[in-house]
Amino acid sequence: MAIKHTKSRSFLQACDWPIEKLPGLSPEEESKLQNCGITTTGELLKQGKTPEARLVLANKLQVHLQYVNKWMALADLARLPSVGIQYCGLLLHAGVISVTQLAEIPTHRLHQQIMRLQVATFQRRDLCPAVELVQQWSQQAKVIGNS
């Protein structure tokens, strides 16, 4: 679990995932990232910290910058334990591109956005995460985004 308890304080730790778990990566893209020494989402975030670094990375990987930006957004969102690799793609498709942005969106508005996306894509409301889970994402984004 990503929550550590010491004495009376609890600390939320950002998650780091194997790069092959990041949604939407082709086997070829995984290989290119691994050949550049990027084997985890944390390493991807370190190597692409600035817009300039992302451009260098895109050139090194020989992919369009928009792919690197997408992978960075997914890796950033996946840092949250309650989001992880399970929901980072859903959040990205709902228009959330960073932990910072997630921390700022009102929970009810984000839940509505996700509901609209699920209904438009799958014609199913029951696939939408519960509002309590969306609240947890927001709370964790506020903690991890400020650390």
Side-chain angles (χ1 to χ4, degrees):
M1 185 72 184
I3 298 175
K4 284 188 174 179
H5 296 282
T6 54
K7 296 191 182 173
S8 63
R9 298 180 64 188
S10 63
F11 296 95
L12 190 64
Q13 269 190 321
C15 292
D16 192 9
W17 302 93
I19 202 67
E20 62 270 11
K21 299 278 188 191
L22 202 62
L25 281 181
S26 72
E28 181 187 359
E29 292 164 339
E30 285 174 29
S31 290
K32 285 181 177 184
L33 286 164
Q34 289 167 343
N35 290 339
C36 283
I38 299 172
T39 59
T40 67
T41 55
E43 289 166 357
L44 175 62
L45 290 169
K46 277 184 206 149
Q47 284 203 33
K49 265 191 172 154
T50 65
E52 297 80 17
R54 289 192 286 278
L55 188 57
V56 167
L57 188 56
N59 288 332
K60 200 171 5 171
L61 295 168
Q62 297 179 328
V63 298
H64 196 281
L65 179 60
Q66 81 182 51
Y67 290 109
V68 173
N69 288 334
K70 176 183 150 189
W71 300 336
M72 291 292 295
L74 289 167
D76 185 37
L77 292 167
R79 292 185 308 142
L80 303 178
S82 61
V83 173
I85 53 172
Q86 183 179 1
Y87 293 112
C88 63
L90 175 64
L91 282 169
L92 187 62
H93 284 287
V96 180
I97 60 167
S98 70
V99 167
T100 305
Q101 183 187 7
L102 179 58
E104 294 169 358
I105 298 174
T107 301
H108 67 280
R109 196 172 103 219
L110 178 57
H111 190 259
Q112 288 174 335
Q113 278 175 241
I114 293 169
M115 180 70 77
R116 279 195 295 275
L117 177 67
Q118 295 290 42
V119 170
T121 308
F122 303 110
Q123 285 78 47
R124 293 186 54 185
R125 298 175 68 87
D126 62 317
L127 294 176
C128 186
V131 72
E132 294 81 13
L133 181 56
V134 176
Q135 283 174 324
Q136 189 178 12
W137 297 344
S138 180
Q139 289 163 351
Q140 289 183 358
K142 288 174 179 133
V143 172
I144 287 182
N146 292 330
S147 59

